[in-house]
Amino acid sequence: MARTLIKSGTVVSATGRSANDVLIDGETIAAVGAPGYFAGAEANADKVIDAFGKYVIPGGIDVHTHMELPFGGTFASDTFETGSRAAAWGGVTTMIDFAVQRTGEDVNAGLAEWHRKAEGECAIDYAFHMIIGGVDDEALKSMRYLTEHEGVTSFKLFMAYPGVLYSDDGQILRAMQTAADCGAMIMMHAENGIAIDVLVAQALARGETDPRYHSLTRPSQLEAEATHRAIVLADVAGDVPLYIVHMSAGDALEHVAEARSAGRNVFAETCPQYLWLTLEETLARPGFEGAKWVCSTPIRSANDRHPHRKDLWRGLRTNDLAIVSTDHCPFCMKDQKELGVGDFSKIPNGIGGVEHRMELIYQGVVAGELTLERWVETCCTTPARMFGMYPRKGVIAAGSDGDVVVWDPNRQTKIGIEDKHHMNMDYSAYEGFVIDGKVDTVISRGTVLVEDDTYTGTKGHGRFLERGLSQYLL
Ligand code: DUC
Ligand code: ZN
Ligand code: ZN
């Protein structure tokens, strides 16, 4: 088995940084030692990576992706092959995708379908959450089965999308009670979809059909209300662990902060699009261009009643937001986003970003919003702990998988379809962004996937991970 020595770098963890060398033996980290400690081993190493002046961090973990998701009359445009390769380019070595059960369908069949899509296709390790789009007796039984036997320990419910993936409060409560009973995590898309559908119909009747109305018909109060309702229902269900996905609103975050101060098992994530983009710069562009940024929850106005972006950065510092994921759900403009020309409600919801999360959040470090350690914690370590993969993933320590990223703070990353873009999308949501810092080397279980701006990974290297229960509970 190959031995790789990463020497002379600064190893950054969730709790500190230090000059250390890292020895990977086969697929796992053999040891972390003071600089020069492995001088003897160097001669025996098959590969030596000089990380002088660079950061050495655990491989990124994106806990929210949708490869090939059927949505809005089409499919998310990245396959497991293209999406996982793009993830590797961006310093991500583990992703958790969402398998889907729709009303009336069998949960186990939905999971089997996702296994078929992913198996043998991925460049990086992967796991699944399960979307329960039709809570009934059978689905509840399957939740327990998946938790106990399939390594799928988290279940996403939707308070949005009535008639599609929506669960009513009674269904949500029942699913939460089941999860509480078997130790699973409930993940929630928290938007009041019934009220949103009324606002959408009213806007269309007024002739307001442009992409900007996607955001304006999903006001932050309706994210805040649903977040609060989910928190109350989770309390009634015995403080089941509750994880609010893709939080975009400062007023929703207030409810999470309040629950957390009361010692509740309530957690939340946000995504780069909510930290960096505004409605004015994106959805409100002339003509149909704004469709590029139609996603739910929506990108919010800089002039809204809450300073959402400021609130979200603060939430990341205070741990009211524990994780940054991407909600990677790409659609091309051609033939996909175009389905909504003349009617914003028909634009497939989603933004691709799996390739850019590590760099976009590192830019938060450069901007003074986060520390280096908090970057690692929110993008690598807490994702592993929250979703039952620690310490195999999320940390550079003896015995952990050899998933390591060498990060060069002295180079720059230019984002765009011409400059750097490996996702299967015909545009970039971050076109023209220039980031201080760049992925240098990406290693997954001891195998180099990216080096010298070249991809050396292979499809099928990535393995399915059976996850345990959350290791992050209060
Ligand atoms: N939000 C999106 O933007 N896309 C897919 C599903 C979702 O909840
Ligand atoms: Zn969602
Ligand atoms: Zn999603």
Side-chain angles (χ1 to χ4, degrees), residues 64-66 69 98 156 158 189 245-246 296 327-329:
H64 192 150
T65 68
H66 297 287
L69 177 76
F98 287 83
K156 183 180 179 190
F158 285 79
H189 181 129
V245 295
H246 47 53
S296 297
D327 196 6
H328 177 78
C329 191

Side-chain angles (χ1 to χ4, degrees), residues 10-19 56-58 371-374 376:
T10 300
V11 175
V12 185
S13 75
T15 52
R17 63 189 91 172
S18 53
V56 180
I57 65 171
T371 62
L372 264 184
E373 288 80 5
R374 190 69 186 143
V376 168

